[in-house]
Amino acid sequence: MRVADAHADMSSVEAELSAWLDKGFHGDMDYMAKHGTKRTRPAELVPGVLRVISVRMNYTPPAAKEGWSVLHDGNKAFISRYAVGRDYHKVLRARLQKLADTISGMIGPFNYRVFTDSAPVMEVEWAKKSGLGWRGKHTLLLSREGGSYFFLGEMYTDLPLPVDDPVGSYCGSCTRCIDICPTQAIIGPYQLDARRCISYLTIELKGSIPEALRPLIGNRVYGCDDCQLVCPWNKYAKITQEADFAVRNGLDDVSLVELFQWSKEEFESKLAGSPIRRIGYEQWLRNIAVGLGNAPSSPAVIEALQARSHDPSPLVREHVQWALQQHDK
Ligand code: SF4
């Protein structure tokens, strides 16, 4: 837990955000362009706020299959490690609430509001300002003690707490995350074209995935961890102690064909409480169809695709058709 001055100068951050939006790098994430300066000026969101408390919570699940081994097996589905357990929003929010209750137990009632990816809050920037870590060239927050496999949460408060100092940047001359990115979405240090990012393409994008990018997605069906897997600082990442983040339904090491055969009811029941459920069944099938298009050709893969060639969803049908064409070349 670290503390930043809620009135700290964010003018350079505002300029960078504005330039990023002007280039259209946010794609369909319209919410990034909404809210004006509320995102960078906490007092416009919570009047009277004096401090931003930033917290982080490790999410690497114990006993999860090693990421590269799944990525290198074209018949398997890779799911970003933050998403193989239960949704983090409730867990982190409950922890922040507990922190607020502890503080009020010590000093009496105080004003606060907690956030977990739930409002226009520049969470990486506040974490950086408070010294929780530095922004890596992949744009995620990095910590020398914990790498980057953690969630961030914030508390805005009117408590005049002492402010922590930022830490230095320790990326040095490393460019591993930029070099490894399958779609070259990190167009330069600290610059992400989200429209090319596999996390955006598989989670945020609602419609058709651009054809040129589909072969580059490989078997990543929900998010992408390559830039984190390759980062040397993640040798310091800690295994989570949080039972809710443990792997559920074998999602760390599961076959594409098996996932593609899930009915809508299975999708809803098996992924109840999972962050994956928010993308919906149609988008889920779309993503797996791309993975199957990139999988080694086999009767099982082709049969699985053919079984969905008349899917009621035009989006799914289009991606299945593309996938079948990949096996017809
Ligand atoms: S891979 Fe290298 S450049 Fe990228 S965030 Fe990690 S240390 Fe920084």
Side-chain angles (χ1 to χ4, degrees), residues 13-63:
V13 177
E14 285 176 6
E16 281 164 21
L17 175 62
S18 172
W20 187 74
L21 291 168
D22 287 348
K23 288 177 189 152
F25 286 168
H26 59 303
D28 287 352
M29 294 185 288
D30 295 338
Y31 58 85
M32 289 300 298
K34 284 185 188 158
H35 309 296
T37 49
K38 262 191 191 159
R39 197 172 283 281
T40 46
R41 300 180 194 180
E44 291 181 14
L45 189 67
V46 179
V49 60
L50 290 179
R51 298 289 183 263
V52 178
I53 301 176
S54 286
V55 299
R56 65 179 176 85
M57 194 171 177
N58 299 322
Y59 63 70
T60 302

Side-chain angles (χ1 to χ4, degrees), residues 70-78 217-221 256 291 294:
V70 179
L71 284 163
H72 290 149
D73 182 344
N75 287 303
K76 296 273 173 71
F78 182 80
I217 290 174
N219 59 349
R220 299 165 187 84
V221 302
L256 288 160
N294 295 326

